[in-house]
Amino acid sequence: MPFREHKTWYRVTGDLNSGKPVVVAVHGGPGSTHDYLLNLAELSAQGWPVVHYDQIGNGGSTHLPDRGADFWTVELFLDELDNLLGALGISDNYVLFGQSWGGLLAAKHAAGRPAGLRGLVVANAPASYPLWLQEAKVLRDQLPAEVNETLIRHEAAGTTDSQEYFNAMMPFYLRHVCRMDPWPRDFMASFMEVYNDPTVYRTMNGPSEFHVIGTLKDWGVTDCIEHIAVPTLLISGAFDEATPATVQPYADLIPDVSWEVFENSSHMPHLEEPERFLEVLSGYLRRIH
């Protein structure tokens, strides 16, 4: 699909003209891909059409490794989402499912009160990156001392692209990103895509989930989410890197909101507890339709 002079990759599962709101999956990162959210397509068996897409810069969409920080903005990704909705003809009847960074992006979109938005799911997403960083420190301090010392040493030296830093990242990821062993194929696909082209992730986020030094480090949506006017479902995991403190502003500020915590999950309840996840999401969709 054309987006400005670039292209956005997308895929549709189900019938966009079914009369039910179309569930649009907004993936995380920024700089990840749709792959790890593929099991949302199972909603189509219940009649809910599902759209996946890769945000510009990654996956099947146009890669732009030479673009600088001035190009990779929140507004760029909001415009891309608007373009997708319009081009598919679904802007009058849709639900956004935003996961991690995608949750903030979807919330920002929803705060503009688009007429066709029927519901919002904010999954495993902080309300701001300052909150995210504050809580990341809490979680990092719980790691074995030698692991955190290795991380701090490489971050101070600017050698976060080293194998030793990567190895030291993994205890955090295995506790707070995905607790499954081995990691599911869909998640591995997205994980490797970030490293195949880290342009967006490193520019906007940083070298790891818990060391956010990119352009988003001071950004959040706490200033606008009170304007969200659709029923909103919050999802988080008991071991999530998006801790309760990072999610709380959504619960406090969005007028019509509910919050489901998945007790056996971290950052990927849709993969870690897929049956309960599908039950919760299906129930929410039935309520808002």
Side-chain angles (χ1 to χ4, degrees), residues 21 239 275:
F239 303 96
E275 291 181 3

Side-chain angles (χ1 to χ4, degrees), residues 203-226:
T203 300
M204 298 184 75
N205 186 83
S208 67
E209 290 292 281
F210 46 76
H211 189 49
V212 180
I213 55 174
T215 56
L216 290 177
K217 68 181 185 299
D218 299 316
W219 184 72
V221 294
T222 54
D223 62 337
C224 65
I225 50 179
E226 65 182 306

Side-chain angles (χ1 to χ4, degrees), residues 1-118:
M1 164 188 305
F3 169 55
R4 300 179 182 173
E5 64 270 36
H6 314 299
K7 289 191 182 300
T8 299
W9 179 95
Y10 72 96
R11 124 180 194 170
V12 176
T13 308
D15 180 8
L16 294 181
N17 298 309
S18 68
K20 289 187 173 180
V22 179
V23 179
V24 179
V26 187
H27 67 69
S32 186
T33 63
H34 77 284
D35 301 85
Y36 77 100
L37 294 175
L38 269 174
N39 69 352
L40 290 178
E42 294 175 21
L43 290 167
S44 66
Q46 301 175 23
W48 307 99
V50 178
V51 171
H52 288 88
Y53 75 106
D54 285 336
Q55 294 162 25
I56 186 170
N58 287 85
S61 296
T62 304
H63 288 233
L64 297 158
D66 298 326
R67 296 297 178 98
D70 58 336
F71 179 80
W72 303 109
T73 64
V74 173
E75 289 70 28
L76 171 75
F77 294 99
L78 288 170
D79 289 349
E80 182 183 34
L81 176 56
D82 285 340
N83 182 73
L84 176 88
L85 298 171
L88 293 178
I90 60 174
S91 56
D92 60 345
N93 193 27
Y94 66 101
V95 172
L96 290 186
F97 178 95
Q99 200 275 340
S100 199
W101 140 259
L104 287 98
L105 191 67
K108 183 71 172 177
H109 173 93
R113 297 191 172 184
L117 182 66
R118 301 289 175 248

Side-chain angles (χ1 to χ4, degrees), residues 62-175:
T62 304
H63 288 233
L64 297 158
D66 298 326
R67 296 297 178 98
D70 58 336
F71 179 80
W72 303 109
T73 64
V74 173
E75 289 70 28
L76 171 75
F77 294 99
L78 288 170
D79 289 349
E80 182 183 34
L81 176 56
D82 285 340
N83 182 73
L84 176 88
L85 298 171
L88 293 178
I90 60 174
S91 56
D92 60 345
N93 193 27
Y94 66 101
V95 172
L96 290 186
F97 178 95
Q99 200 275 340
S100 199
W101 140 259
L104 287 98
L105 191 67
K108 183 71 172 177
H109 173 93
R113 297 191 172 184
L117 182 66
R118 301 289 175 248
L120 171 68
V121 182
V122 177
N124 320 101
S128 78
Y129 282 93
L131 270 176
W132 176 267
L133 280 167
Q134 168 191 306
E135 289 296 291
K137 183 181 186 309
V138 173
L139 298 178
R140 281 177 60 151
D141 288 346
Q142 297 169 9
L143 295 172
E146 65 276 11
V147 171
N148 205 18
E149 287 165 7
T150 300
L151 293 170
I152 291 168
R153 174 163 47 83
H154 282 289
E155 288 162 3
T159 51
T160 54
D161 55 353
S162 69
Q163 186 63 42
E164 188 179 32
Y165 185 80
F166 181 87
N167 293 343
M169 282 173 18
M170 294 314 293
F172 182 98
Y173 281 54
L174 292 169
R175 286 186 184 189

